[in-house]
Amino acid sequence: MTIGSIFRPLLELCRETNTDIADILRQEGLSEERLVDPETRLPTERSRALGKRIFEKLGDPEAGLRAAERFRPEDGDLVFYLTRHSKTALEALQAFPRYARLIGDAALCSVAVSAHTVELSFGLTGGRTLLPEAVDYAVAVFARGAWAASFGKARLLEARLARPRPKRVEPYRRALCASVAFGSEQSTLVFSRSELEAPFSDVDPRLRAILTKQADGVLAELPAATTIAAAVRANVARRLEGGVVGIDSVARDLGMSERTLRRRLRESGHTYRALVDAVRSERAIALADQGNHNVTTIAQLSGFADATTFARAFRRWTGSAPHEYLRRSQR
C-alpha cells in the first residue's frame, strides 16, 4: 500500500499545465480530495499504474523533477515530520529505513555510513522497479529535503539513478546540484558525512518523542512487511534471466512444498501464475523504456524462451507489439 498524498505535487503540476486527468481518477474510483488524503493507501501495483498514467498524460520527461519542486512536508505525512525533528540530517536519514513503510509498503531503503560519506539507497521490494519519473521525483525530494532541513548545510555530492539516461542531463544536474549517473542497479544519493552531522538549531526533543511513538504505533498496525507474495516475487525476479521460474524451484527456495506454496498464495488472494506474469511485465516494460535493448534481448531477460510467446504477452500488457513500443520509446 502507498499513501495517496505523495500524488499531490503531481496533481498540482497537472493543474498548472492544464493537464486534465479527471478521467484517469474517475476510472480509478478516486477524486482529487480522496487521493491526497494521507489516510488513503493504494495497493502498490495500483499506485504504480496510476503514476504511470498520470506521467504519460503529462507528456513531460522531466515531470518527476518538476513535481518534486512542489513537494511539501505534509505530503509525506508522519514520516517527514518525524525526520524533520531529528537532531541532525544524518539521524533523519537513518530513520528512513525503519519508517519507509509509512510512505509505501513496498518501499525499500538503506543507509550506509563511512568515514567521510553517507549513502542513501532506495527502491522497491519484491523485484519491482520504480518508474523513471518516480525515481526522478524521489531523488529530488530527498535531495531538496536534506538541504532544506539542514538549512543548506547538507549538500548532495553525487546521485546514481536506477533509470535510463534521459535525452537531457542538464535538468538533473541543475535540480540536484550534483554529478549524476544513470543506469545503476539501485538509486543512491551520496552526502558528506560531516555536513549531515551538523546539528539542527530548532529541534524539539519532546515533539520528536511524541512523533516517534505515534510512528511506531502506525508501523505496528501495518501487515507483515514480508508477505508470501512479496517473497515469491523477489525469488522469481532473481530467476528470470535464467528462465527457470517453475513453482517447484521457488517453493524449494522458500522452504516449503509446491502444494503448501499454492495454498498460502491462494489464502492471500494470489496465484503463482499471476505473480510471475506481473514480474515479467514490469521487467519487460522497464527494459523497453530504456530504449537500448532489442526485442530478443528483452524477451530473454524477462524469462521467455522464444520471441513469439513474449510478443503475445507484451501486447497483452501494453496493447502494442514490442517493436512498436520500442520505436515510440526511442523517439
Side-chain angles (χ1 to χ4, degrees), residues 228 256 259-269:
I228 186 63
M256 63 185 77
R259 182 177 180 182
T260 298
L261 177 56
R262 289 189 185 277
R263 175 179 57 78
R264 290 188 59 186
L265 286 174
R266 185 171 60 252
E267 290 172 350
S268 66

Side-chain angles (χ1 to χ4, degrees), residues 85-241:
H85 287 278
S86 300
K87 296 178 182 177
T88 65
L90 176 57
E91 184 180 78
L93 289 184
Q94 289 177 316
F96 264 101
R98 174 171 176 77
Y99 296 111
R101 289 193 66 215
L102 298 182
I103 300 295
D105 290 345
L108 186 64
C109 184
S110 64
V111 175
V113 181
S114 67
H116 302 291
T117 62
V118 176
E119 296 191 359
L120 170 70
S121 301
F122 62 90
L124 296 176
T125 61
R128 300 177 175 91
T129 56
L130 280 166
L131 297 169
E133 298 90 346
V135 171
D136 300 344
Y137 179 50
V139 298
V141 165
F142 274 121
R144 290 167 61 89
W147 184 87
S150 64
F151 301 98
K153 296 176 182 176
R155 298 166 301 163
L156 183 63
L157 302 179
E158 178 187 358
R160 302 190 292 270
L161 309 188
R163 55 102 73 224
R165 183 182 178 87
K167 291 182 179 179
R168 297 205 313 154
V169 174
E170 184 53 35
Y172 290 80
R173 294 177 179 145
R174 188 167 59 247
L176 301 176
C177 299
S179 63
V180 185
F182 302 92
S184 298
E185 290 189 8
Q186 63 178 346
S187 293
T188 300
L189 303 182
V190 183
F191 297 90
S192 162
R193 177 173 177 174
S194 61
E195 291 179 354
L196 289 182
E197 289 179 329
F200 290 168
S201 59
D202 59 346
V203 176
D204 186 337
R206 188 164 181 270
L207 178 56
R208 176 171 172 76
I210 293 172
L211 292 171
T212 298
K213 183 177 181 180
Q214 184 178 353
D216 286 340
V218 174
L219 199 62
E221 293 176 358
L222 294 177
T226 305
T227 64
I228 186 63
V232 168
R233 285 182 59 105
N235 193 286
V236 169
R238 288 195 298 270
R239 290 173 169 274
L240 277 187
E241 292 185 31

